[in-house]
């Protein structure tokens, strides 16, 4: 009976967790940023997110899922090793981007045979590299291919992937691979790209890319990711906000619990072309590139922290987001306060959770914003009501804590805690994590698991 109750407890916990996802993207190009901005899978806090999505993989000319960077396979392995620290962490591989300016999905989805090759290669690749799922990042079906056909072919791809994932799970007695997609937030793009009713049942979750609503391609300042319209918006611009975009997804029949709201850890910049500095001020292009992201048009949150120390910061109350301006530079970005507003909106609409673009643009090392590591994502996690992370954070201590020292010099793995058998240590990269077994169970080193005394 007690065993059954424990099993039920596990199921309930899993069920609750599934309605509260915090999905975080990392990018394999962030490793090329200089000095403290260099980011690899080793910079991920294993307890921060429920899912980590590794961006990006591509589709080769034989229609197979394939890596992009020289060290992707090394990084997959580092990412997967985080799961020995946090056994409930899920990892997915994102596939998309462009090859010579064109999405590699367009050719692959065109024929049943090439879809079958892709699907087979994806399952084998994901299993080989210990991923828990696949994230489709086609921006967007119907964009520069053939609109109506690509929309239908995307549906076929999603359906066939889902069926194949089920088959693979049955045949190999494994948990089915997860299937998710990054999806558009502009109403006309949504209408052109997706058969919402047909794809929703087959996707575990959809990452609505609720950012890039405004940017330096426009002649006046506007916010990257506003919650609501501004009274200055006219015409289609009144739909360039989260409320309008996600409402559209819901009205098309997307189940709320499968929609994840996008939280950007970056802001979009403008170069002001007059003395005006407010929302809607004339602009002609982006501000200077950030010293670390080195791409004109956006700044990472850690670059914005440096900027706001001397800039004027304003809150756009209609849109519940901040902007900052100094000299002729203007940036619309997100901070803890706007994240809180968005979490409230997300909760009020019963969405399945949040996704973050990206981990590597938050102040992941804590060296810029004086707010500890991952200030934005940690705030998001807390605002969403996740329990405190089950970690023993190692750090400088004056009186040495024997527990913090436990893993120094030990190989990664699980160890018994002789002082308290209801807990056990997990060593990861020299850091010590203390875990507690479920009530009634104790840790057994023989199975490296919690079991009955
Ligand atoms: C949010 O979206 C809903 C549904 O489209 C709409 O009725 C409501 O007026 C919007 N709220 C704001 C403040 O724009």
């Amino acid at each position: 009976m007690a065993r059954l109750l424990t099993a039920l407890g596990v199921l309930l916990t899993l069920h609750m967790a599934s309605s509260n996802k915090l999905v975080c993207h990392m990018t394999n190009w962030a490793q090329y940023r200089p000095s403290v901005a260099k980011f690899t899978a080793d910079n991920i806090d294993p307890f921060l997110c429920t899912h980590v999505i590794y961006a990006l993989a591509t589709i080769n000319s034989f229609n197979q899922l394939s890596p992009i960077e020289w060290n992707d396979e090394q990084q997959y392995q580092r990412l997967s090793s985080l799961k020995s620290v946090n056994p409930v962490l899920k990892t997915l591989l994102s596939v998309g981007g462009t090859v010579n300016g064109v999405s590699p999905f367009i050719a692959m989805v065109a024929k049943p045979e090439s879809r079958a090759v892709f699907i087979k290669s994806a399952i084998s690749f994901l299993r080989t590299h210990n991923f828990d799922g696949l994230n489709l990042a086609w921006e967007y079906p119907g964009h520069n291919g053939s609109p109506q056909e690509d929309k239908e072919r995307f549906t076929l791809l999603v359906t066939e992937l889902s069926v194949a994932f089920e088959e693979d799970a049955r045949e190999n007695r494994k948990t089915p691979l997860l299937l998710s997609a990054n999806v558009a937030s502009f109403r006309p793009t949504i209408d052109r790209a997706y058969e919402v009713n047909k794809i929703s049942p087959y996707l575990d979750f959809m990452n609505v890319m609720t950012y890039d609503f405004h940017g330096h391609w426009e002649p006046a300042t506007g916010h990257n990711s506003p919650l609501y319209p501004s009274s200055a918006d006219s015409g289609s611009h009144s739909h360039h906000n989260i409320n309008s975009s996600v409402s559209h997804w819901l009205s098309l029949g997307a189940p709320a619990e499968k929609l994840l709201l996008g939280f950007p850890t970056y802001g979009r910049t403008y170069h002001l072309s007059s003395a005006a500095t407010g929302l809607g001020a004339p602009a002609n292009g982006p501000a200077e590139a950030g010293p670390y992201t080195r791409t004109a048009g956006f700044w990472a949150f850690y670059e914005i922290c440096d900027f706001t120390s001397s800039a004027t910061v304003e809150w756009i109350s209609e849109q519940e987001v901040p902007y900052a301006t100094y000299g002729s530079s203007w940036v619309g970005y997100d901070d803890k306060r706007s994240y809180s507003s968005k979490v409230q909106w997300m909760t009020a609409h019963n969405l399945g959770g949040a996704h973050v673009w990206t981990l590597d643009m938050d102040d992941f090392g804590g060296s810029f914003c004086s707010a500890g590591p991952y200030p934005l994502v940690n705030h998001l996690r807390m605002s969403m009501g996740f329990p405190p992370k089950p970690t023993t954070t190692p750090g400088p201590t004056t009186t040495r804590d024997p527990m913090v020292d436990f893993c120094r010099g030990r190989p990664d793995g699980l160890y018994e805690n002789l002082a308290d058998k209801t807990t056990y240590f997990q060593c990861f990269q020299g850091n010590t994590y203390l875990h507690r077994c479920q009530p009634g169970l104790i840790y057994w080193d023989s199975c490296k698991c919690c079991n009955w005394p």
Side-chain angles (χ1 to χ4, degrees), residues 141-168:
H143 176 76
N144 91 53
S146 37
Q148 189 53 32
E149 284 174 345
D150 282 354
K151 183 181 193 169
E152 289 164 12
R153 289 166 181 170
F154 183 63
T155 303
L156 290 173
L157 175 68
V158 167
T159 315
E160 291 164 5
L161 271 166
S162 170
V163 168
F165 283 3
E166 291 292 334
E167 264 171 30
D168 163 66

PDB file of all heavy atoms in Angstrom, residues 141-168:
ATOM      1  N   PRO A 141       6.531  27.874 -41.361  1.00  0.00           N
ATOM      2  CA  PRO A 141       5.893  27.199 -42.493  1.00  0.00           C
ATOM      3  C   PRO A 141       5.157  28.248 -43.335  1.00  0.00           C
ATOM      4  O   PRO A 141       4.515  29.139 -42.787  1.00  0.00           O
ATOM      5  CB  PRO A 141       4.892  26.250 -41.818  1.00  0.00           C
ATOM      6  CG  PRO A 141       5.461  26.022 -40.443  1.00  0.00           C
ATOM      7  CD  PRO A 141       6.149  27.302 -40.072  1.00  0.00           C
ATOM      8  N   GLY A 142       5.291  28.166 -44.626  1.00  0.00           N
ATOM      9  CA  GLY A 142       4.573  29.090 -45.501  1.00  0.00           C
ATOM     10  C   GLY A 142       5.336  30.359 -45.781  1.00  0.00           C
ATOM     11  O   GLY A 142       4.955  31.169 -46.615  1.00  0.00           O
ATOM     12  N   HIS A 143       6.475  30.541 -45.076  1.00  0.00           N
ATOM     13  CA  HIS A 143       7.283  31.732 -45.326  1.00  0.00           C
ATOM     14  C   HIS A 143       8.352  31.357 -46.332  1.00  0.00           C
ATOM     15  O   HIS A 143       9.182  30.520 -46.079  1.00  0.00           O
ATOM     16  CB  HIS A 143       7.911  32.240 -44.026  1.00  0.00           C
ATOM     17  CG  HIS A 143       8.827  33.401 -44.226  1.00  0.00           C
ATOM     18  ND1 HIS A 143       8.372  34.674 -44.458  1.00  0.00           N
ATOM     19  CD2 HIS A 143      10.176  33.484 -44.258  1.00  0.00           C
ATOM     20  CE1 HIS A 143       9.406  35.490 -44.610  1.00  0.00           C
ATOM     21  NE2 HIS A 143      10.510  34.793 -44.494  1.00  0.00           N
ATOM     22  N   ASN A 144       8.355  31.932 -47.432  1.00  0.00           N
ATOM     23  CA  ASN A 144       9.218  31.756 -48.608  1.00  0.00           C
ATOM     24  C   ASN A 144       9.314  30.341 -49.213  1.00  0.00           C
ATOM     25  O   ASN A 144      10.044  30.093 -50.141  1.00  0.00           O
ATOM     26  CB  ASN A 144      10.538  32.550 -48.465  1.00  0.00           C
ATOM     27  CG  ASN A 144      11.718  31.845 -47.832  1.00  0.00           C
ATOM     28  OD1 ASN A 144      12.066  30.767 -48.269  1.00  0.00           O
ATOM     29  ND2 ASN A 144      12.323  32.465 -46.861  1.00  0.00           N
ATOM     30  N   GLY A 145       8.403  29.449 -48.755  1.00  0.00           N
ATOM     31  CA  GLY A 145       8.194  28.204 -49.497  1.00  0.00           C
ATOM     32  C   GLY A 145       6.874  28.390 -50.233  1.00  0.00           C
ATOM     33  O   GLY A 145       6.619  29.456 -50.787  1.00  0.00           O
ATOM     34  N   SER A 146       6.033  27.366 -50.216  1.00  0.00           N
ATOM     35  CA  SER A 146       4.707  27.536 -50.811  1.00  0.00           C
ATOM     36  C   SER A 146       3.680  27.533 -49.679  1.00  0.00           C
ATOM     37  O   SER A 146       3.487  26.485 -49.048  1.00  0.00           O
ATOM     38  CB  SER A 146       4.434  26.415 -51.804  1.00  0.00           C
ATOM     39  OG  SER A 146       4.980  25.215 -51.300  1.00  0.00           O
ATOM     40  N   PRO A 147       3.079  28.689 -49.383  1.00  0.00           N
ATOM     41  CA  PRO A 147       2.280  28.877 -48.172  1.00  0.00           C
ATOM     42  C   PRO A 147       1.305  27.746 -47.851  1.00  0.00           C
ATOM     43  O   PRO A 147       1.461  27.094 -46.820  1.00  0.00           O
ATOM     44  CB  PRO A 147       1.551  30.190 -48.429  1.00  0.00           C
ATOM     45  CG  PRO A 147       2.464  30.928 -49.351  1.00  0.00           C
ATOM     46  CD  PRO A 147       3.143  29.887 -50.193  1.00  0.00           C
ATOM     47  N   GLN A 148       0.350  27.476 -48.720  1.00  0.00           N
ATOM     48  CA  GLN A 148      -0.675  26.512 -48.362  1.00  0.00           C
ATOM     49  C   GLN A 148      -0.103  25.103 -48.195  1.00  0.00           C
ATOM     50  O   GLN A 148      -0.399  24.397 -47.251  1.00  0.00           O
ATOM     51  CB  GLN A 148      -1.819  26.519 -49.393  1.00  0.00           C
ATOM     52  CG  GLN A 148      -3.029  25.710 -48.981  1.00  0.00           C
ATOM     53  CD  GLN A 148      -3.561  26.113 -47.589  1.00  0.00           C
ATOM     54  OE1 GLN A 148      -3.478  27.269 -47.176  1.00  0.00           O
ATOM     55  NE2 GLN A 148      -4.102  25.152 -46.843  1.00  0.00           N
ATOM     56  N   GLU A 149       0.794  24.727 -49.109  1.00  0.00           N
ATOM     57  CA  GLU A 149       1.370  23.375 -49.045  1.00  0.00           C
ATOM     58  C   GLU A 149       2.226  23.188 -47.800  1.00  0.00           C
ATOM     59  O   GLU A 149       2.149  22.171 -47.129  1.00  0.00           O
ATOM     60  CB  GLU A 149       2.201  23.108 -50.297  1.00  0.00           C
ATOM     61  CG  GLU A 149       1.321  22.817 -51.500  1.00  0.00           C
ATOM     62  CD  GLU A 149       2.106  22.696 -52.788  1.00  0.00           C
ATOM     63  OE1 GLU A 149       3.297  23.111 -52.794  1.00  0.00           O
ATOM     64  OE2 GLU A 149       1.540  22.209 -53.771  1.00  0.00           O
ATOM     65  N   ASP A 150       3.061  24.179 -47.472  1.00  0.00           N
ATOM     66  CA  ASP A 150       3.948  24.030 -46.328  1.00  0.00           C
ATOM     67  C   ASP A 150       3.175  23.969 -45.014  1.00  0.00           C
ATOM     68  O   ASP A 150       3.570  23.277 -44.076  1.00  0.00           O
ATOM     69  CB  ASP A 150       4.990  25.150 -46.295  1.00  0.00           C
ATOM     70  CG  ASP A 150       6.109  24.892 -47.296  1.00  0.00           C
ATOM     71  OD1 ASP A 150       6.115  23.803 -47.898  1.00  0.00           O
ATOM     72  OD2 ASP A 150       6.961  25.779 -47.475  1.00  0.00           O
ATOM     73  N   LYS A 151       2.080  24.688 -44.957  1.00  0.00           N
ATOM     74  CA  LYS A 151       1.229  24.640 -43.770  1.00  0.00           C
ATOM     75  C   LYS A 151       0.735  23.206 -43.557  1.00  0.00           C
ATOM     76  O   LYS A 151       0.814  22.662 -42.460  1.00  0.00           O
ATOM     77  CB  LYS A 151       0.046  25.590 -44.014  1.00  0.00           C
ATOM     78  CG  LYS A 151      -0.925  25.753 -42.894  1.00  0.00           C
ATOM     79  CD  LYS A 151      -2.040  26.710 -43.354  1.00  0.00           C
ATOM     80  CE  LYS A 151      -2.868  27.167 -42.177  1.00  0.00           C
ATOM     81  NZ  LYS A 151      -3.772  28.282 -42.548  1.00  0.00           N
ATOM     82  N   GLU A 152       0.274  22.586 -44.630  1.00  0.00           N
ATOM     83  CA  GLU A 152      -0.233  21.211 -44.524  1.00  0.00           C
ATOM     84  C   GLU A 152       0.891  20.203 -44.292  1.00  0.00           C
ATOM     85  O   GLU A 152       0.735  19.236 -43.552  1.00  0.00           O
ATOM     86  CB  GLU A 152      -1.030  20.843 -45.785  1.00  0.00           C
ATOM     87  CG  GLU A 152      -2.360  21.584 -45.838  1.00  0.00           C
ATOM     88  CD  GLU A 152      -3.018  21.576 -47.216  1.00  0.00           C
ATOM     89  OE1 GLU A 152      -2.563  20.810 -48.102  1.00  0.00           O
ATOM     90  OE2 GLU A 152      -3.990  22.352 -47.395  1.00  0.00           O
ATOM     91  N   ARG A 153       2.044  20.466 -44.926  1.00  0.00           N
ATOM     92  CA  ARG A 153       3.178  19.555 -44.743  1.00  0.00           C
ATOM     93  C   ARG A 153       3.722  19.632 -43.322  1.00  0.00           C
ATOM     94  O   ARG A 153       4.243  18.647 -42.799  1.00  0.00           O
ATOM     95  CB  ARG A 153       4.293  19.881 -45.746  1.00  0.00           C
ATOM     96  CG  ARG A 153       3.907  19.491 -47.172  1.00  0.00           C
ATOM     97  CD  ARG A 153       4.853  20.124 -48.174  1.00  0.00           C
ATOM     98  NE  ARG A 153       4.465  19.757 -49.540  1.00  0.00           N
ATOM     99  CZ  ARG A 153       4.986  20.313 -50.618  1.00  0.00           C
ATOM    100  NH1 ARG A 153       5.915  21.264 -50.513  1.00  0.00           N
ATOM    101  NH2 ARG A 153       4.593  19.943 -51.820  1.00  0.00           N
ATOM    102  N   PHE A 154       3.631  20.821 -42.695  1.00  0.00           N
ATOM    103  CA  PHE A 154       4.060  20.935 -41.294  1.00  0.00           C
ATOM    104  C   PHE A 154       3.164  20.065 -40.416  1.00  0.00           C
ATOM    105  O   PHE A 154       3.636  19.350 -39.534  1.00  0.00           O
ATOM    106  CB  PHE A 154       4.029  22.401 -40.839  1.00  0.00           C
ATOM    107  CG  PHE A 154       4.528  22.598 -39.417  1.00  0.00           C
ATOM    108  CD1 PHE A 154       5.840  22.291 -39.085  1.00  0.00           C
ATOM    109  CD2 PHE A 154       3.693  23.083 -38.426  1.00  0.00           C
ATOM    110  CE1 PHE A 154       6.312  22.468 -37.775  1.00  0.00           C
ATOM    111  CE2 PHE A 154       4.152  23.263 -37.115  1.00  0.00           C
ATOM    112  CZ  PHE A 154       5.466  22.953 -36.791  1.00  0.00           C
ATOM    113  N   THR A 155       1.879  20.104 -40.690  1.00  0.00           N
ATOM    114  CA  THR A 155       0.945  19.249 -39.952  1.00  0.00           C
ATOM    115  C   THR A 155       1.323  17.780 -40.121  1.00  0.00           C
ATOM    116  O   THR A 155       1.355  17.021 -39.149  1.00  0.00           O
ATOM    117  CB  THR A 155      -0.501  19.470 -40.444  1.00  0.00           C
ATOM    118  OG1 THR A 155      -0.812  20.858 -40.286  1.00  0.00           O
ATOM    119  CG2 THR A 155      -1.501  18.634 -39.664  1.00  0.00           C
ATOM    120  N   LEU A 156       1.629  17.381 -41.361  1.00  0.00           N
ATOM    121  CA  LEU A 156       2.026  15.985 -41.613  1.00  0.00           C
ATOM    122  C   LEU A 156       3.288  15.635 -40.842  1.00  0.00           C
ATOM    123  O   LEU A 156       3.372  14.586 -40.207  1.00  0.00           O
ATOM    124  CB  LEU A 156       2.260  15.750 -43.115  1.00  0.00           C
ATOM    125  CG  LEU A 156       1.010  15.764 -43.996  1.00  0.00           C
ATOM    126  CD1 LEU A 156       1.388  15.696 -45.468  1.00  0.00           C
ATOM    127  CD2 LEU A 156       0.074  14.602 -43.622  1.00  0.00           C
ATOM    128  N   LEU A 157       4.266  16.543 -40.857  1.00  0.00           N
ATOM    129  CA  LEU A 157       5.518  16.282 -40.154  1.00  0.00           C
ATOM    130  C   LEU A 157       5.265  16.080 -38.662  1.00  0.00           C
ATOM    131  O   LEU A 157       5.756  15.120 -38.052  1.00  0.00           O
ATOM    132  CB  LEU A 157       6.493  17.447 -40.367  1.00  0.00           C
ATOM    133  CG  LEU A 157       7.801  17.345 -39.574  1.00  0.00           C
ATOM    134  CD1 LEU A 157       8.663  16.188 -40.083  1.00  0.00           C
ATOM    135  CD2 LEU A 157       8.594  18.656 -39.624  1.00  0.00           C
ATOM    136  N   VAL A 158       4.473  16.984 -38.069  1.00  0.00           N
ATOM    137  CA  VAL A 158       4.194  16.908 -36.628  1.00  0.00           C
ATOM    138  C   VAL A 158       3.471  15.600 -36.300  1.00  0.00           C
ATOM    139  O   VAL A 158       3.836  14.893 -35.359  1.00  0.00           O
ATOM    140  CB  VAL A 158       3.359  18.143 -36.199  1.00  0.00           C
ATOM    141  CG1 VAL A 158       2.779  17.944 -34.813  1.00  0.00           C
ATOM    142  CG2 VAL A 158       4.213  19.405 -36.249  1.00  0.00           C
ATOM    143  N   THR A 159       2.486  15.264 -37.113  1.00  0.00           N
ATOM    144  CA  THR A 159       1.714  14.049 -36.873  1.00  0.00           C
ATOM    145  C   THR A 159       2.586  12.804 -36.994  1.00  0.00           C
ATOM    146  O   THR A 159       2.565  11.927 -36.123  1.00  0.00           O
ATOM    147  CB  THR A 159       0.569  13.950 -37.909  1.00  0.00           C
ATOM    148  OG1 THR A 159      -0.049  15.223 -38.019  1.00  0.00           O
ATOM    149  CG2 THR A 159      -0.469  12.941 -37.502  1.00  0.00           C
ATOM    150  N   GLU A 160       3.365  12.751 -38.062  1.00  0.00           N
ATOM    151  CA  GLU A 160       4.203  11.576 -38.295  1.00  0.00           C
ATOM    152  C   GLU A 160       5.296  11.435 -37.230  1.00  0.00           C
ATOM    153  O   GLU A 160       5.603  10.328 -36.799  1.00  0.00           O
ATOM    154  CB  GLU A 160       4.813  11.643 -39.700  1.00  0.00           C
ATOM    155  CG  GLU A 160       3.757  11.464 -40.802  1.00  0.00           C
ATOM    156  CD  GLU A 160       4.226  11.894 -42.197  1.00  0.00           C
ATOM    157  OE1 GLU A 160       5.413  12.255 -42.358  1.00  0.00           O
ATOM    158  OE2 GLU A 160       3.396  11.895 -43.124  1.00  0.00           O
ATOM    159  N   LEU A 161       5.867  12.573 -36.809  1.00  0.00           N
ATOM    160  CA  LEU A 161       6.871  12.528 -35.738  1.00  0.00           C
ATOM    161  C   LEU A 161       6.258  11.952 -34.464  1.00  0.00           C
ATOM    162  O   LEU A 161       6.822  11.080 -33.810  1.00  0.00           O
ATOM    163  CB  LEU A 161       7.399  13.936 -35.440  1.00  0.00           C
ATOM    164  CG  LEU A 161       8.612  14.412 -36.248  1.00  0.00           C
ATOM    165  CD1 LEU A 161       8.793  15.915 -36.078  1.00  0.00           C
ATOM    166  CD2 LEU A 161       9.877  13.681 -35.821  1.00  0.00           C
ATOM    167  N   SER A 162       5.082  12.440 -34.138  1.00  0.00           N
ATOM    168  CA  SER A 162       4.438  12.028 -32.894  1.00  0.00           C
ATOM    169  C   SER A 162       4.128  10.531 -32.903  1.00  0.00           C
ATOM    170  O   SER A 162       4.396   9.815 -31.928  1.00  0.00           O
ATOM    171  CB  SER A 162       3.167  12.855 -32.700  1.00  0.00           C
ATOM    172  OG  SER A 162       2.420  12.331 -31.656  1.00  0.00           O
ATOM    173  N   VAL A 163       3.613  10.043 -34.029  1.00  0.00           N
ATOM    174  CA  VAL A 163       3.315   8.613 -34.158  1.00  0.00           C
ATOM    175  C   VAL A 163       4.602   7.794 -34.048  1.00  0.00           C
ATOM    176  O   VAL A 163       4.659   6.783 -33.332  1.00  0.00           O
ATOM    177  CB  VAL A 163       2.587   8.336 -35.499  1.00  0.00           C
ATOM    178  CG1 VAL A 163       2.522   6.844 -35.785  1.00  0.00           C
ATOM    179  CG2 VAL A 163       1.189   8.958 -35.487  1.00  0.00           C
ATOM    180  N   ALA A 164       5.658   8.255 -34.713  1.00  0.00           N
ATOM    181  CA  ALA A 164       6.931   7.532 -34.680  1.00  0.00           C
ATOM    182  C   ALA A 164       7.541   7.547 -33.274  1.00  0.00           C
ATOM    183  O   ALA A 164       8.150   6.561 -32.851  1.00  0.00           O
ATOM    184  CB  ALA A 164       7.906   8.144 -35.688  1.00  0.00           C
ATOM    185  N   PHE A 165       7.375   8.635 -32.546  1.00  0.00           N
ATOM    186  CA  PHE A 165       7.894   8.713 -31.166  1.00  0.00           C
ATOM    187  C   PHE A 165       7.165   7.702 -30.269  1.00  0.00           C
ATOM    188  O   PHE A 165       7.779   7.082 -29.406  1.00  0.00           O
ATOM    189  CB  PHE A 165       7.743  10.137 -30.603  1.00  0.00           C
ATOM    190  CG  PHE A 165       8.763  11.136 -31.121  1.00  0.00           C
ATOM    191  CD1 PHE A 165       9.701  10.779 -32.084  1.00  0.00           C
ATOM    192  CD2 PHE A 165       8.802  12.442 -30.631  1.00  0.00           C
ATOM    193  CE1 PHE A 165      10.639  11.693 -32.560  1.00  0.00           C
ATOM    194  CE2 PHE A 165       9.743  13.359 -31.096  1.00  0.00           C
ATOM    195  CZ  PHE A 165      10.657  12.994 -32.070  1.00  0.00           C
ATOM    196  N   GLU A 166       5.869   7.559 -30.495  1.00  0.00           N
ATOM    197  CA  GLU A 166       5.092   6.587 -29.710  1.00  0.00           C
ATOM    198  C   GLU A 166       5.566   5.161 -30.007  1.00  0.00           C
ATOM    199  O   GLU A 166       5.749   4.351 -29.107  1.00  0.00           O
ATOM    200  CB  GLU A 166       3.593   6.687 -30.026  1.00  0.00           C
ATOM    201  CG  GLU A 166       2.912   7.962 -29.544  1.00  0.00           C
ATOM    202  CD  GLU A 166       2.834   8.058 -28.027  1.00  0.00           C
ATOM    203  OE1 GLU A 166       2.836   6.999 -27.350  1.00  0.00           O
ATOM    204  OE2 GLU A 166       2.792   9.191 -27.506  1.00  0.00           O
ATOM    205  N   GLU A 167       5.748   4.895 -31.293  1.00  0.00           N
ATOM    206  CA  GLU A 167       6.201   3.557 -31.709  1.00  0.00           C
ATOM    207  C   GLU A 167       7.562   3.224 -31.118  1.00  0.00           C
ATOM    208  O   GLU A 167       7.777   2.138 -30.596  1.00  0.00           O
ATOM    209  CB  GLU A 167       6.321   3.500 -33.235  1.00  0.00           C
ATOM    210  CG  GLU A 167       5.086   2.926 -33.913  1.00  0.00           C
ATOM    211  CD  GLU A 167       5.184   3.094 -35.423  1.00  0.00           C
ATOM    212  OE1 GLU A 167       6.327   3.096 -35.958  1.00  0.00           O
ATOM    213  OE2 GLU A 167       4.126   3.248 -36.050  1.00  0.00           O
ATOM    214  N   ASP A 168       8.463   4.193 -31.207  1.00  0.00           N
ATOM    215  CA  ASP A 168       9.817   4.010 -30.670  1.00  0.00           C
ATOM    216  C   ASP A 168       9.749   3.703 -29.167  1.00  0.00           C
ATOM    217  O   ASP A 168      10.464   2.834 -28.672  1.00  0.00           O
ATOM    218  CB  ASP A 168      10.618   5.293 -30.928  1.00  0.00           C
ATOM    219  CG  ASP A 168      11.866   5.376 -30.070  1.00  0.00           C
ATOM    220  OD1 ASP A 168      12.771   4.550 -30.268  1.00  0.00           O
ATOM    221  OD2 ASP A 168      11.931   6.262 -29.190  1.00  0.00           O
TER     222      ASP A 168
END
